[in-house]
Short mmCIF file of all heavy atoms in Angstrom, two decimals:
data_model
loop_
_atom_site.label_atom_id
_atom_site.label_comp_id
_atom_site.label_asym_id
_atom_site.label_seq_id
_atom_site.Cartn_x
_atom_site.Cartn_y
_atom_site.Cartn_z
N ARG A 1 64.16 -27.47 161.66
CA ARG A 1 64.88 -27.44 160.47
C ARG A 1 66.38 -27.66 160.71
O ARG A 1 66.89 -27.21 161.70
CB ARG A 1 64.66 -26.06 159.72
CG ARG A 1 63.23 -25.82 159.38
CD ARG A 1 62.74 -26.35 158.10
NE ARG A 1 63.68 -26.45 156.96
CZ ARG A 1 63.52 -27.29 155.96
NH1 ARG A 1 62.45 -28.01 155.84
NH2 ARG A 1 64.44 -27.28 155.07
N GLY A 2 67.06 -28.09 159.67
CA GLY A 2 68.46 -28.19 159.59
C GLY A 2 69.29 -28.40 160.84
O GLY A 2 68.95 -29.29 161.60
N GLY A 3 70.28 -27.62 161.06
CA GLY A 3 71.15 -27.74 162.22
C GLY A 3 70.63 -27.39 163.52
O GLY A 3 71.28 -27.55 164.55
N TYR A 4 69.38 -26.87 163.55
CA TYR A 4 68.76 -26.50 164.77
C TYR A 4 68.17 -27.71 165.50
O TYR A 4 67.73 -27.65 166.66
CB TYR A 4 67.66 -25.41 164.62
CG TYR A 4 68.30 -24.10 164.23
CD1 TYR A 4 68.27 -23.67 162.91
CD2 TYR A 4 68.94 -23.29 165.20
CE1 TYR A 4 68.90 -22.54 162.49
CE2 TYR A 4 69.47 -22.07 164.84
CZ TYR A 4 69.43 -21.66 163.51
OH TYR A 4 70.03 -20.47 163.15
N ALA A 5 67.95 -28.78 164.78
CA ALA A 5 67.23 -29.93 165.34
C ALA A 5 68.20 -30.88 166.15
O ALA A 5 69.34 -30.96 165.84
CB ALA A 5 66.62 -30.76 164.23
N ASP A 6 67.64 -31.36 167.23
CA ASP A 6 68.41 -32.35 168.08
C ASP A 6 67.71 -33.71 167.79
O ASP A 6 66.62 -33.88 167.90
CB ASP A 6 68.32 -31.94 169.56
CG ASP A 6 69.11 -30.80 169.87
OD1 ASP A 6 70.18 -30.62 169.33
OD2 ASP A 6 68.60 -29.99 170.79
N ALA A 7 68.64 -34.64 167.56
CA ALA A 7 68.17 -36.06 167.26
C ALA A 7 67.72 -36.68 168.61
O ALA A 7 68.37 -36.45 169.62
CB ALA A 7 69.21 -36.87 166.59
N GLU A 8 66.63 -37.48 168.53
CA GLU A 8 66.22 -38.19 169.74
C GLU A 8 67.04 -39.43 169.87
O GLU A 8 67.17 -39.92 171.02
CB GLU A 8 64.72 -38.59 169.62
CG GLU A 8 63.73 -37.53 169.77
CD GLU A 8 62.33 -37.95 169.68
OE1 GLU A 8 62.10 -39.20 169.64
OE2 GLU A 8 61.41 -37.08 169.69
N ARG A 9 67.50 -39.93 168.82
CA ARG A 9 68.29 -41.18 168.79
C ARG A 9 69.36 -41.06 167.73
O ARG A 9 69.20 -40.69 166.60
CB ARG A 9 67.35 -42.37 168.48
CG ARG A 9 68.05 -43.68 168.53
CD ARG A 9 66.95 -44.81 168.27
NE ARG A 9 67.46 -46.10 168.61
CZ ARG A 9 68.19 -46.92 167.86
NH1 ARG A 9 68.49 -46.50 166.66
NH2 ARG A 9 68.55 -48.06 168.30
N VAL A 10 70.56 -41.43 168.12
CA VAL A 10 71.76 -41.44 167.23
C VAL A 10 72.36 -42.87 167.38
O VAL A 10 72.65 -43.31 168.36
CB VAL A 10 72.80 -40.37 167.56
CG1 VAL A 10 74.05 -40.46 166.68
CG2 VAL A 10 72.10 -38.98 167.58
N GLU A 11 72.47 -43.45 166.18
CA GLU A 11 73.10 -44.79 166.14
C GLU A 11 74.35 -44.70 165.23
O GLU A 11 74.22 -44.29 164.10
CB GLU A 11 72.14 -45.89 165.63
CG GLU A 11 72.71 -47.26 165.72
CD GLU A 11 71.60 -48.27 165.45
OE1 GLU A 11 70.41 -47.96 165.24
OE2 GLU A 11 71.96 -49.49 165.34
N SER A 12 75.47 -45.04 165.73
CA SER A 12 76.72 -45.02 164.98
C SER A 12 77.52 -46.34 165.00
O SER A 12 77.41 -47.11 165.89
CB SER A 12 77.65 -43.82 165.45
OG SER A 12 77.94 -44.00 166.82
N TYR A 13 78.19 -46.52 163.89
CA TYR A 13 79.03 -47.74 163.65
C TYR A 13 80.38 -47.23 163.24
O TYR A 13 80.51 -46.40 162.32
CB TYR A 13 78.45 -48.58 162.58
CG TYR A 13 77.11 -49.16 162.92
CD1 TYR A 13 75.95 -48.56 162.66
CD2 TYR A 13 77.12 -50.52 163.45
CE1 TYR A 13 74.73 -49.09 163.05
CE2 TYR A 13 75.83 -51.07 163.80
CZ TYR A 13 74.65 -50.30 163.55
OH TYR A 13 73.44 -50.92 163.83
N GLU A 14 81.37 -47.74 163.92
CA GLU A 14 82.76 -47.55 163.53
C GLU A 14 83.30 -48.83 162.97
O GLU A 14 83.21 -49.89 163.63
CB GLU A 14 83.52 -47.02 164.68
CG GLU A 14 83.22 -45.71 165.24
CD GLU A 14 83.92 -45.25 166.45
OE1 GLU A 14 85.10 -45.66 166.62
OE2 GLU A 14 83.36 -44.53 167.26
N PHE A 15 84.06 -48.82 161.88
CA PHE A 15 84.61 -49.96 161.22
C PHE A 15 86.12 -49.84 161.17
O PHE A 15 86.71 -48.78 160.94
CB PHE A 15 84.13 -50.05 159.79
CG PHE A 15 82.60 -50.05 159.68
CD1 PHE A 15 81.95 -48.86 159.41
CD2 PHE A 15 81.80 -51.16 159.82
CE1 PHE A 15 80.53 -48.78 159.27
CE2 PHE A 15 80.44 -51.12 159.72
CZ PHE A 15 79.82 -49.90 159.42
N THR A 16 86.83 -50.99 161.34
CA THR A 16 88.26 -51.00 161.20
C THR A 16 88.52 -51.99 160.03
O THR A 16 87.73 -52.85 159.72
CB THR A 16 88.98 -51.51 162.41
OG1 THR A 16 88.65 -52.83 162.64
CG2 THR A 16 88.69 -50.65 163.65
N ARG A 17 89.61 -51.84 159.37
CA ARG A 17 90.02 -52.63 158.18
C ARG A 17 90.24 -54.10 158.62
O ARG A 17 90.15 -55.01 157.78
CB ARG A 17 91.28 -52.08 157.48
CG ARG A 17 90.97 -50.63 156.91
CD ARG A 17 92.12 -50.17 156.09
NE ARG A 17 93.37 -50.17 156.89
CZ ARG A 17 93.90 -49.03 157.40
NH1 ARG A 17 93.32 -47.97 157.19
NH2 ARG A 17 95.01 -49.18 158.03
N ASP A 18 90.51 -54.35 159.95
CA ASP A 18 90.82 -55.71 160.26
C ASP A 18 89.50 -56.36 160.79
O ASP A 18 89.57 -57.45 161.45
CB ASP A 18 91.85 -55.82 161.29
CG ASP A 18 91.62 -55.00 162.59
OD1 ASP A 18 90.65 -54.28 162.66
OD2 ASP A 18 92.43 -55.08 163.51
N GLY A 19 88.25 -55.87 160.57
CA GLY A 19 87.00 -56.50 160.84
C GLY A 19 86.45 -56.24 162.21
O GLY A 19 85.67 -57.05 162.63
N VAL A 20 86.75 -55.11 162.84
CA VAL A 20 86.10 -54.80 164.09
C VAL A 20 85.04 -53.78 163.80
O VAL A 20 85.22 -52.83 163.09
CB VAL A 20 87.10 -54.33 165.11
CG1 VAL A 20 86.47 -53.84 166.37
CG2 VAL A 20 88.22 -55.36 165.41
N ILE A 21 83.85 -53.98 164.36
CA ILE A 21 82.70 -53.03 164.28
C ILE A 21 82.42 -52.59 165.76
O ILE A 21 82.16 -53.50 166.60
CB ILE A 21 81.53 -53.55 163.61
CG1 ILE A 21 81.88 -53.89 162.12
CG2 ILE A 21 80.39 -52.61 163.69
CD1 ILE A 21 80.67 -54.40 161.34
N ARG A 22 82.34 -51.32 165.94
CA ARG A 22 81.89 -50.84 167.31
C ARG A 22 80.57 -50.04 167.04
O ARG A 22 80.52 -49.17 166.15
CB ARG A 22 82.90 -49.82 167.84
CG ARG A 22 84.14 -50.48 168.31
CD ARG A 22 85.21 -49.58 168.85
NE ARG A 22 86.46 -50.24 169.09
CZ ARG A 22 87.38 -50.33 168.13
NH1 ARG A 22 87.25 -49.87 166.93
NH2 ARG A 22 88.50 -51.01 168.45
N ARG A 23 79.54 -50.41 167.73
CA ARG A 23 78.20 -49.75 167.61
C ARG A 23 77.88 -49.02 168.87
O ARG A 23 78.09 -49.47 170.02
CB ARG A 23 77.20 -50.86 167.45
CG ARG A 23 75.77 -50.34 167.32
CD ARG A 23 74.77 -51.56 167.14
NE ARG A 23 73.41 -51.05 167.19
CZ ARG A 23 72.53 -51.53 168.01
NH1 ARG A 23 72.80 -52.40 168.94
NH2 ARG A 23 71.28 -51.07 167.99
N THR A 24 77.40 -47.82 168.69
CA THR A 24 76.99 -46.97 169.82
C THR A 24 75.60 -46.43 169.48
O THR A 24 75.32 -45.97 168.45
CB THR A 24 77.95 -45.72 170.04
OG1 THR A 24 79.25 -46.21 170.13
CG2 THR A 24 77.50 -44.84 171.18
N VAL A 25 74.72 -46.54 170.53
CA VAL A 25 73.35 -45.98 170.40
C VAL A 25 73.14 -45.00 171.50
O VAL A 25 73.38 -45.36 172.72
CB VAL A 25 72.30 -47.14 170.49
CG1 VAL A 25 70.93 -46.45 170.40
CG2 VAL A 25 72.51 -48.12 169.36
N GLU A 26 72.83 -43.79 171.19
CA GLU A 26 72.56 -42.79 172.20
C GLU A 26 71.02 -42.43 172.03
O GLU A 26 70.53 -41.98 171.07
CB GLU A 26 73.30 -41.49 171.93
CG GLU A 26 74.80 -41.72 171.94
CD GLU A 26 75.59 -40.50 171.50
OE1 GLU A 26 75.27 -39.33 171.89
OE2 GLU A 26 76.59 -40.65 170.80
N ALA A 27 70.23 -42.63 173.21
CA ALA A 27 68.86 -42.33 173.18
C ALA A 27 68.38 -42.19 174.61
O ALA A 27 68.93 -42.87 175.48
CB ALA A 27 68.09 -43.49 172.46
N ASP A 28 67.37 -41.46 174.79
CA ASP A 28 66.78 -41.27 176.14
C ASP A 28 67.75 -40.89 177.23
O ASP A 28 67.68 -41.42 178.37
CB ASP A 28 65.97 -42.53 176.50
CG ASP A 28 64.88 -42.87 175.48
OD1 ASP A 28 64.24 -41.97 174.96
OD2 ASP A 28 64.73 -44.12 175.23
N GLY A 29 68.71 -40.12 176.91
CA GLY A 29 69.74 -39.69 177.80
C GLY A 29 70.77 -40.72 178.19
O GLY A 29 71.67 -40.52 178.95
N GLY A 30 70.70 -41.85 177.56
CA GLY A 30 71.60 -42.98 177.78
C GLY A 30 72.46 -43.35 176.66
O GLY A 30 72.27 -42.86 175.56
N GLU A 31 73.37 -44.23 176.79
CA GLU A 31 74.26 -44.72 175.79
C GLU A 31 74.51 -46.19 175.96
O GLU A 31 74.70 -46.70 177.04
CB GLU A 31 75.56 -43.90 175.81
CG GLU A 31 76.48 -44.26 174.74
CD GLU A 31 77.76 -43.39 174.86
OE1 GLU A 31 77.69 -42.26 174.32
OE2 GLU A 31 78.78 -43.78 175.36
#
């Protein structure tokens, strides 16, 4: 439940106003 759970996979995107996207995937102990 809730905040006690650890995600197996986290995928994040960071955006800049000038059109740059950075993608990060964390899974299986790697990045």
Side-chain angles (χ1 to χ4, degrees):
R1 301 271 330 157
Y4 291 101
D6 289 323
E8 288 183 4
R9 182 177 195 276
V10 177
E11 185 169 356
S12 59
Y13 294 83
E14 295 176 27
F15 307 95
T16 66
R17 295 184 306 254
D18 60 352
V20 176
I21 295 179
R22 292 178 188 88
R23 176 178 174 239
T24 304
V25 178
E26 299 172 42
D28 302 323
E31 183 175 278

